[in-house]
Amino acid sequence: MNGIRIRRTGASDVIAASDGRLTLSVPIQIKHRSGRKLVTLPNGEAAQPRPWDVAATPMQLALARGHHWLAMLESGEAKSITELAAREKIDNSYMCRMLNLTTLAPDIIAAILDESLPHQVGVHDLAISPPVLWEEQRKRIGVVGENLPAE
């Protein structure tokens, strides 16, 4: 049996052919959600998205840009922020704000990456004049210690 066949009903099944091939039959349903296809499992639950199918959040993209530009500056690929901003065709002040994200406390960076930062915290809350001390950064956004909400 060649190709993929989608059955919407029935039970899972494994069929062994005489030449050693196995055919796995799994009933699934494909639904369209916001222009993308979503696989629905037989019990009605949506399949978990694969890590590479999940788009990065704006905060994660900003953090990645900041670290990328910092690496370019540290390696000597760009001689100054002004030169790099001109090369990237962006404003100097925007680049400086994204570079500020590279000075954040490690637990704040981890919270950005695992999306556990409080929802009211935006890129500009972290990027515009962040405090130098990590404890002050945590107080500014309302988290204390290990990503625990402040009381």
Side-chain angles (χ1 to χ4, degrees):
M1 172 183 201
N2 292 334
I4 297 173
R5 216 173 29 149
I6 298 176
R7 288 189 333 196
R8 293 178 182 231
T9 59
S12 300
D13 192 17
V14 177
I15 302 168
S18 60
D19 62 358
R21 291 183 295 160
L22 292 177
T23 301
L24 177 63
S25 172
V26 179
I28 64 170
Q29 184 174 10
I30 298 176
K31 295 182 179 179
H32 292 276
R33 296 275 193 261
S34 302
R36 61 185 173 90
K37 293 176 184 166
L38 179 70
V39 174
T40 305
L41 301 175
N43 62 3
E45 294 179 13
Q48 293 297 318
R50 299 170 299 184
W52 54 86
D53 288 339
V54 179
T57 65
M59 184 85 74
Q60 292 167 343
L61 291 173
L63 183 64
R65 283 186 194 108
H67 279 280
H68 176 68
W69 292 333
L70 180 63
M72 292 173 76
L73 290 166
E74 288 177 340
S75 71
E77 187 177 333
K79 298 193 185 323
S80 68
I81 292 173
T82 306
E83 176 192 319
L84 185 55
R87 187 186 316 168
E88 297 284 325
K89 298 178 183 165
I90 59 170
D91 187 59
N92 289 353
S93 63
Y94 174 77
M95 181 169 283
C96 289
R97 287 192 305 268
M98 297 307 104
L99 287 168
N100 282 342
L101 296 175
T102 65
T103 65
L104 294 173
D107 57 324
I108 295 175
I109 291 174
I112 291 169
L113 296 176
D114 66 16
E115 299 180 38
S116 63
L117 207 58
H119 296 292
Q120 72 273 12
V121 178
V123 174
H124 285 73
D125 298 323
L126 297 172
I128 296 175
S129 302
V132 175
L133 298 176
W134 289 347
E135 193 56 43
E136 294 298 318
Q137 292 173 4
R138 292 179 190 108
K139 286 180 187 175
R140 178 190 242 184
I141 62 171
V143 294
V144 179
E146 300 293 319
N147 296 327
L148 302 174
E151 294 184 20

